[in-house]
Each structure stands twice: as C-alpha cells, then as structure tokens.
Amino acid sequence: MFLVFLYIVRFSGNMFIINKEVTFNEEDGYLENPSLNVSVLMAAPARRLLLVLITERGSPVERDYLFRTVWDEHGLRSSHSNLNQYISILRKTLVQAGLPDDAIITIPKIGFMFNPVIDVKTYVSFAGKKTAE
C-alpha cells in the first residue's frame, strides 16, 4: 500500500510527442514546437479537451462526453457554445504549433476526433524519468 502511494506522489504526468515535433505536456499545459519557436500555455479547458481527444485518437468523442470531462467534472458550466469556441481555439493553436489544420476532425451530429493519421507518442514521467508507452 505504501509503495502505491509513493508512485502516485511521484507521478508527474504524460508528455505527448505529436507528429515528431510538437510536445504537449499534460501537467503544465504547454504545447511547444522548438523548431518553430512556438510555446503556448493553454487554458485548463483547452488542455483537458486536447488530452481527451489525443487519448481517444482515431475514435469519435461525443459532445456529451466532452461536456462532462472537460467542464462538468471540474465545476464549470458546459455548453455547445463553449465547446465550439474551445475547439476553434485549439485548432488554431495546433496549426500555430505546426500541425495540419485537420488535426481535429468534426464528426457531424456526434462530436470530434483527433486525426488518426497524426502520429502521437506518449511518455509517462516518474520522478524525472520518462518511459515510452
């Protein structure tokens, strides 16, 4: 039991490498592309939205699921307007970082999906050590 607690305390989040050049740090919310000299600190809802879409990459994510996980579970009010606004902001941010403009695909009457042809690698950091998944 004690060892499990230490693991939880020492876990410092996921780092995603997108298209071999863009990094997304789940913990601090930065989206960066050093080759373009781009570093963007994303707002918490945008960070959670990107995390859900990357985690479910290649699968449509329903709007209701996004409402719950991005806003409702964090004490915020969800709405179609909020979701659409953050999708727009997130798309612009991804393009600014050098990703294609179709990184987030709209699935009409369902929700959104992170483009499955975009390569995403996940690295889990424990106590300063990164391991690939």
Side-chain angles (χ1 to χ4, degrees):
M1 179 88 168
F2 183 68
L3 290 176
V4 171
F5 177 72
L6 283 178
Y7 249 26
I8 292 170
V9 169
R10 297 180 73 175
F11 175 73
S12 57
N14 288 333
M15 173 75 75
F16 298 90
I17 310 296
I18 308 167
N19 258 10
K20 299 178 183 171
E21 60 186 358
V22 177
T23 60
F24 168 54
N25 186 324
E26 170 190 1
E27 184 176 322
D28 67 14
Y30 276 95
L31 186 73
E32 300 178 305
N33 184 336
S35 66
L36 295 177
N37 199 27
V38 172
S39 180
V40 178
L41 176 60
M42 296 189 298
R47 178 185 326 166
R48 290 190 295 266
L49 181 58
L50 180 57
L51 180 61
V52 171
L53 292 171
I54 286 176
T55 303
E56 301 294 327
R57 181 173 60 103
S59 299
V61 181
E62 294 182 1
R63 286 176 164 270
D64 287 340
Y65 181 75
L66 292 171
F67 291 152
R68 280 193 315 276
T69 58
V70 175
W71 286 276
D72 300 344
E73 291 176 1
H74 299 277
L76 302 171
R77 182 180 293 220
S78 61
S79 71
H80 289 279
S81 177
N82 281 347
L83 178 56
N84 292 335
Q85 180 180 7
Y86 273 97
I87 287 289
S88 177
I89 290 167
L90 190 51
R91 282 179 170 144
K92 289 175 187 172
T93 303
L94 294 173
V95 167
Q96 178 185 357
L99 294 175
D101 59 2
D102 66 346
I104 298 174
I105 300 168
T106 300
I107 310 297
K109 300 185 183 193
I110 295 175
F112 301 92
M113 175 175 71
F114 198 83
N115 194 328
V117 301
I118 296 176
D119 182 54
V120 177
K121 300 277 189 249
T122 306
Y123 294 87
V124 180
S125 179
F126 290 96
K129 296 180 182 175
K130 294 181 181 172
T131 57
E133 282 190 281

